[in-house]
Amino acid sequence: MKNIAVVILNWNGKKLLEEFLPYIMQHSGEAVIYVADNASTDDSVTFIKNNYPQIQIISNTGNYGYAKGYNEALKQVNEEIYALVNSDVEVTKDWLLPISELFSKDPETAIIQPKILDYYKRTHFEYAGAAGGFLDKYAFPFCRGRIFDTIEEDNGQYNDNAEIFWASGACFFIRKDVFWELNGFDEDFFAHQEEIDLCWRAFNKNYKVRLCGDSHIFHVGGATLNNSSPRKTFLNFRNSLWMM
Protein backbone atom coordinates (compact mmCIF):
# COMPACT_ATOMS: atom_id res chain seq x y z
CA MET A 1 0.00 0.00 0.00
CA LYS A 2 3.01 2.30 -0.29
CA ASN A 3 1.62 3.33 -3.67
CA ILE A 4 -1.52 4.85 -2.06
CA ALA A 5 -1.66 8.48 -0.94
CA VAL A 6 -4.45 9.28 1.51
CA VAL A 7 -5.13 12.98 0.97
CA ILE A 8 -7.47 14.82 3.34
CA LEU A 9 -8.68 18.26 2.30
CA ASN A 10 -8.94 20.62 5.26
CA TRP A 11 -10.39 24.06 5.80
CA ASN A 12 -10.70 25.22 9.43
CA GLY A 13 -11.35 21.63 10.44
CA LYS A 14 -9.34 21.18 13.63
CA LYS A 15 -12.21 19.51 15.50
CA LEU A 16 -12.76 17.02 12.69
CA LEU A 17 -9.04 16.29 12.45
CA GLU A 18 -8.89 15.70 16.20
CA GLU A 19 -11.70 13.16 15.94
CA PHE A 20 -10.94 11.35 12.69
CA LEU A 21 -7.18 11.49 12.08
CA PRO A 22 -6.53 8.79 14.71
CA TYR A 23 -8.53 6.29 12.64
CA ILE A 24 -6.62 7.24 9.47
CA MET A 25 -3.30 6.78 11.26
CA GLN A 26 -4.29 3.50 12.91
CA HIS A 27 -5.83 1.74 9.91
CA SER A 28 -3.95 2.97 6.83
CA GLY A 29 -0.86 0.75 7.02
CA GLU A 30 2.01 1.93 4.84
CA ALA A 31 -0.04 4.45 2.87
CA VAL A 32 1.38 7.97 2.79
CA ILE A 33 -0.87 10.47 4.61
CA TYR A 34 -1.27 14.05 3.44
CA VAL A 35 -3.41 16.93 4.64
CA ALA A 36 -4.10 19.49 1.91
CA ASP A 37 -4.94 22.72 3.71
CA ASN A 38 -7.07 25.36 1.98
CA ALA A 39 -5.54 28.36 3.80
CA SER A 40 -7.18 27.63 7.15
CA THR A 41 -7.42 30.46 9.67
CA ASP A 42 -7.84 28.22 12.71
CA ASP A 43 -4.90 26.33 14.25
CA SER A 44 -5.56 23.02 12.48
CA VAL A 45 -2.18 23.05 10.72
CA THR A 46 -0.39 23.68 14.01
CA PHE A 47 -2.38 20.83 15.55
CA ILE A 48 -1.18 18.44 12.83
CA LYS A 49 2.45 19.55 13.12
CA ASN A 50 2.43 19.13 16.89
CA ASN A 51 0.60 15.79 17.03
CA TYR A 52 1.23 14.04 13.70
CA PRO A 53 4.66 15.09 12.42
CA GLN A 54 4.63 12.09 10.05
CA ILE A 55 1.74 13.62 8.07
CA GLN A 56 2.80 15.62 5.04
CA ILE A 57 1.11 19.03 4.89
CA ILE A 58 0.39 20.69 1.55
CA SER A 59 -0.51 24.36 1.97
CA ASN A 60 -2.76 25.88 -0.66
CA THR A 61 -2.68 29.67 -0.85
CA GLY A 62 -6.47 30.16 -0.73
CA ASN A 63 -9.75 28.46 0.07
CA TYR A 64 -10.13 26.81 -3.30
CA GLY A 65 -13.00 24.50 -2.41
CA TYR A 66 -12.93 20.78 -3.22
CA ALA A 67 -12.16 20.90 -6.93
CA LYS A 68 -9.25 23.33 -7.18
CA GLY A 69 -8.14 22.49 -3.64
CA TYR A 70 -7.42 18.92 -4.69
CA ASN A 71 -6.13 19.85 -8.14
CA GLU A 72 -3.50 22.12 -6.61
CA ALA A 73 -2.55 19.75 -3.80
CA LEU A 74 -2.26 16.62 -5.93
CA LYS A 75 0.42 18.24 -8.08
CA GLN A 76 2.69 17.55 -5.10
CA VAL A 77 1.66 13.90 -4.56
CA ASN A 78 3.70 11.18 -6.27
CA GLU A 79 1.93 7.95 -5.24
CA GLU A 80 0.17 5.94 -7.98
CA ILE A 81 -3.26 5.89 -6.31
CA TYR A 82 -4.95 8.95 -4.83
CA ALA A 83 -7.38 8.31 -1.96
CA LEU A 84 -9.33 11.54 -1.49
CA VAL A 85 -10.93 11.38 1.93
CA ASN A 86 -13.21 13.94 3.56
CA SER A 87 -12.13 15.17 6.96
CA ASP A 88 -15.39 13.86 8.50
CA VAL A 89 -14.76 10.21 7.57
CA GLU A 90 -14.03 7.39 10.03
CA VAL A 91 -12.06 4.69 8.26
CA THR A 92 -12.08 1.07 9.42
CA LYS A 93 -9.58 -1.74 9.87
CA ASP A 94 -7.95 -2.88 6.62
CA TRP A 95 -10.11 -0.49 4.58
CA LEU A 96 -7.37 -0.03 1.96
CA LEU A 97 -6.52 -3.69 1.34
CA PRO A 98 -9.49 -4.78 -0.82
CA ILE A 99 -9.36 -1.52 -2.77
CA SER A 100 -5.67 -1.98 -3.52
CA GLU A 101 -6.34 -5.58 -4.60
CA LEU A 102 -9.18 -4.50 -6.90
CA PHE A 103 -6.97 -1.93 -8.62
CA SER A 104 -4.28 -4.60 -9.08
CA LYS A 105 -6.67 -7.18 -10.54
CA ASP A 106 -8.46 -4.90 -13.00
CA PRO A 107 -6.29 -2.36 -14.86
CA GLU A 108 -9.39 -0.92 -16.60
CA THR A 109 -10.81 0.15 -13.24
CA ALA A 110 -9.72 3.74 -12.73
CA ILE A 111 -11.96 4.93 -9.87
CA ILE A 112 -13.23 3.12 -6.77
CA GLN A 113 -15.30 3.95 -3.71
CA PRO A 114 -15.94 1.82 -0.60
CA LYS A 115 -19.37 1.35 0.94
CA ILE A 116 -20.24 4.58 2.73
CA LEU A 117 -22.21 4.09 5.93
CA ASP A 118 -23.80 6.67 8.21
CA TYR A 119 -21.61 7.77 11.12
CA TYR A 120 -24.66 8.37 13.33
CA LYS A 121 -26.81 5.43 12.19
CA ARG A 122 -24.10 2.90 11.55
CA THR A 123 -26.35 0.09 10.33
CA HIS A 124 -27.49 2.19 7.36
CA PHE A 125 -25.93 3.69 4.26
CA GLU A 126 -25.04 7.38 4.17
CA TYR A 127 -26.63 9.79 1.72
CA ALA A 128 -23.45 10.95 -0.01
CA GLY A 129 -22.52 7.92 -2.05
CA ALA A 130 -24.01 4.92 -0.22
CA ALA A 131 -23.06 1.87 -2.35
CA GLY A 132 -22.19 3.67 -5.56
CA GLY A 133 -23.83 6.26 -7.77
CA PHE A 134 -25.80 6.41 -11.01
CA LEU A 135 -27.68 9.06 -13.00
CA ASP A 136 -31.27 8.81 -14.16
CA LYS A 137 -32.33 9.93 -17.65
CA TYR A 138 -32.55 13.54 -16.46
CA ALA A 139 -28.97 13.32 -15.10
CA PHE A 140 -30.29 13.35 -11.53
CA PRO A 141 -27.88 11.44 -9.24
CA PHE A 142 -28.98 8.52 -7.07
CA CYS A 143 -27.20 5.63 -5.38
CA ARG A 144 -27.55 1.98 -4.64
CA GLY A 145 -28.76 2.14 -1.06
CA ARG A 146 -30.19 5.66 -1.36
CA ILE A 147 -32.85 7.19 -3.57
CA PHE A 148 -33.93 10.73 -2.65
CA ASP A 149 -34.15 10.64 1.17
CA THR A 150 -34.87 6.90 1.44
CA ILE A 151 -31.83 5.19 2.97
CA GLU A 152 -31.41 1.40 3.08
CA GLU A 153 -30.04 -0.65 5.93
CA ASP A 154 -26.79 -2.41 5.07
CA ASN A 155 -27.58 -6.13 5.13
CA GLY A 156 -24.73 -7.12 2.84
CA GLN A 157 -26.86 -6.67 -0.28
CA TYR A 158 -24.11 -4.59 -1.92
CA ASN A 159 -21.04 -6.54 -0.83
CA ASP A 160 -19.81 -6.75 -4.40
CA ASN A 161 -17.40 -5.06 -6.76
CA ALA A 162 -20.13 -3.79 -9.06
CA GLU A 163 -19.47 -1.34 -11.85
CA ILE A 164 -21.13 1.99 -11.03
CA PHE A 165 -21.39 5.31 -12.87
CA TRP A 166 -19.97 7.66 -10.23
CA ALA A 167 -18.06 7.37 -6.98
CA SER A 168 -18.60 9.68 -4.03
CA GLY A 169 -16.11 12.45 -3.34
CA ALA A 170 -16.42 11.64 0.37
CA CYS A 171 -14.02 8.74 -0.20
CA PHE A 172 -12.78 8.70 -3.76
CA PHE A 173 -9.93 6.56 -5.11
CA ILE A 174 -8.46 7.27 -8.54
CA ARG A 175 -5.33 6.30 -10.42
CA LYS A 176 -2.92 9.22 -10.63
CA ASP A 177 -2.33 8.86 -14.37
CA VAL A 178 -6.07 8.84 -15.11
CA PHE A 179 -6.71 11.87 -12.91
CA TRP A 180 -4.21 13.94 -14.88
CA GLU A 181 -5.20 12.49 -18.25
CA LEU A 182 -8.68 13.90 -17.48
CA ASN A 183 -7.16 17.22 -16.29
CA GLY A 184 -8.47 16.64 -12.77
CA PHE A 185 -11.64 18.18 -11.40
CA ASP A 186 -13.44 21.02 -13.17
CA GLU A 187 -12.43 23.94 -10.96
CA ASP A 188 -15.47 26.03 -11.92
CA PHE A 189 -17.56 23.66 -9.78
CA PHE A 190 -15.79 24.74 -6.55
CA ALA A 191 -17.59 22.01 -4.58
CA HIS A 192 -20.39 19.45 -5.13
CA GLN A 193 -20.85 17.13 -8.11
CA GLU A 194 -17.35 17.67 -9.45
CA GLU A 195 -16.68 13.99 -8.74
CA ILE A 196 -19.72 12.98 -10.85
CA ASP A 197 -18.46 15.18 -13.67
CA LEU A 198 -15.02 13.56 -13.45
CA CYS A 199 -16.50 10.04 -13.44
CA TRP A 200 -18.61 10.92 -16.49
CA ARG A 201 -15.50 12.05 -18.33
CA ALA A 202 -13.72 8.84 -17.27
CA PHE A 203 -16.68 6.82 -18.58
CA ASN A 204 -16.39 8.62 -21.92
CA LYS A 205 -12.76 7.39 -22.07
CA ASN A 206 -13.91 3.79 -21.42
CA TYR A 207 -12.54 3.63 -17.88
CA LYS A 208 -14.47 1.72 -15.22
CA VAL A 209 -15.76 3.06 -11.91
CA ARG A 210 -16.44 0.45 -9.23
CA LEU A 211 -17.76 -0.02 -5.74
CA CYS A 212 -15.51 -2.10 -3.51
CA GLY A 213 -18.04 -3.79 -1.24
CA ASP A 214 -15.39 -5.42 0.94
CA SER A 215 -14.29 -2.01 2.24
CA HIS A 216 -16.45 0.37 4.25
CA ILE A 217 -16.13 3.72 5.99
CA PHE A 218 -18.44 5.89 8.12
CA HIS A 219 -19.25 9.41 6.95
CA VAL A 220 -20.71 12.25 9.01
CA GLY A 221 -21.82 14.28 5.97
CA GLY A 222 -22.51 18.00 5.85
CA ALA A 223 -19.69 18.86 8.23
CA THR A 224 -18.42 21.69 6.02
CA LEU A 225 -21.72 22.80 4.47
CA ASN A 226 -24.80 21.40 6.23
CA ASN A 227 -27.87 20.30 4.31
CA SER A 228 -29.83 23.46 5.14
CA SER A 229 -27.15 25.75 3.70
CA PRO A 230 -28.38 27.97 0.82
CA ARG A 231 -24.82 27.86 -0.52
CA LYS A 232 -24.97 24.06 -0.69
CA THR A 233 -28.33 24.17 -2.51
CA PHE A 234 -27.00 26.71 -4.99
CA LEU A 235 -23.86 24.69 -5.73
CA ASN A 236 -25.79 21.45 -6.22
CA PHE A 237 -28.31 22.93 -8.65
CA ARG A 238 -25.83 25.09 -10.56
CA ASN A 239 -23.26 22.32 -10.87
CA SER A 240 -25.85 19.80 -12.01
CA LEU A 241 -26.78 22.13 -14.87
CA TRP A 242 -23.13 22.79 -15.71
CA MET A 243 -22.40 19.08 -15.77
CA MET A 244 -25.21 18.40 -18.23
Side-chain angles (χ1 to χ4, degrees):
M1 292 187 300
K2 291 181 179 179
N3 67 331
I4 296 179
V6 176
V7 188
I8 303 157
L9 191 68
N10 174 67
W11 181 68
N12 292 343
K14 181 185 176 185
K15 290 183 179 179
L16 294 172
L17 296 172
E18 287 175 332
E19 182 168 359
F20 294 110
L21 270 182
Y23 297 100
I24 294 280
M25 303 306 296
Q26 181 180 355
H27 297 311
S28 298
E30 296 181 318
V32 183
I33 313 301
Y34 297 81
V35 169
D37 185 70
N38 262 348
S40 293
T41 55
D42 67 358
D43 58 350
S44 50
V45 171
T46 301
F47 165 77
I48 298 166
K49 289 178 178 178
N50 289 342
N51 293 278
Y52 299 101
Q54 65 272 51
I55 291 179
Q56 299 190 40
I57 298 172
I58 300 171
S59 297
N60 290 333
T61 56
N63 179 17
Y64 296 142
Y66 186 102
K68 185 176 179 180
Y70 269 124
N71 283 356
E72 289 295 315
L74 294 176
K75 293 174 183 176
Q76 302 181 49
V77 177
N78 295 319
E79 285 71 28
E80 296 173 10
I81 303 294
Y82 297 153
L84 312 184
V85 182
N86 278 13
S87 58
D88 60 346
V89 161
E90 177 189 326
V91 303
T92 59
K93 184 179 179 181
D94 296 330
W95 68 298
L96 293 176
L97 287 175
I99 292 173
S100 179
E101 291 171 2
L102 184 54
F103 273 124
S104 297
K105 286 192 297 186
D106 187 358
E108 292 184 350
T109 294
I111 299 170
I112 296 174
Q113 77 157 65
K115 289 195 304 184
I116 300 177
L117 303 178
D118 193 309
Y119 177 76
Y120 295 109
K121 193 175 183 181
R122 298 167 84 85
T123 56
H124 285 65
F125 289 100
E126 204 272 323
Y127 184 93
F134 294 88
L135 297 177
D136 68 15
K137 67 179 182 178
Y138 303 109
F140 195 92
F142 66 96
C143 305
R144 296 199 306 169
R146 186 273 293 174
I147 297 178
F148 295 108
D149 291 330
T150 300
I151 311 291
E152 291 182 33
E153 185 175 0
D154 176 22
N155 293 310
Q157 67 270 42
Y158 302 121
N159 286 359
D160 54 17
N161 295 328
E163 193 168 346
I164 56 178
F165 188 74
W166 60 269
S168 171
C171 192
F172 185 96
F173 290 76
I174 185 168
R175 296 184 190 272
K176 174 186 177 181
D177 57 348
V178 174
F179 184 85
W180 293 114
E181 178 188 346
L182 298 170
N183 295 315
F185 294 113
D186 185 331
E187 295 179 3
D188 287 340
F189 279 48
F190 186 79
H192 296 292
Q193 302 205 38
E194 65 281 282
E195 79 271 45
I196 304 178
D197 173 77
L198 183 63
C199 289
W200 199 334
R201 289 187 277 124
F203 175 84
N204 290 344
K205 293 274 190 176
N206 296 316
Y207 290 114
K208 294 179 182 177
V209 182
R210 289 194 182 277
L211 171 82
C212 182
D214 293 326
S215 175
H216 71 276
I217 56 97
F218 297 98
H219 182 219
V220 173
T224 303
L225 281 177
N226 67 49
N227 290 333
S228 63
S229 165
R231 174 73 169 161
K232 188 185 192 86
T233 302
F234 166 76
L235 289 170
N236 272 318
F237 277 90
R238 183 199 66 177
N239 292 352
S240 178
L241 293 170
W242 274 357
M243 180 170 58
M244 287 188 284

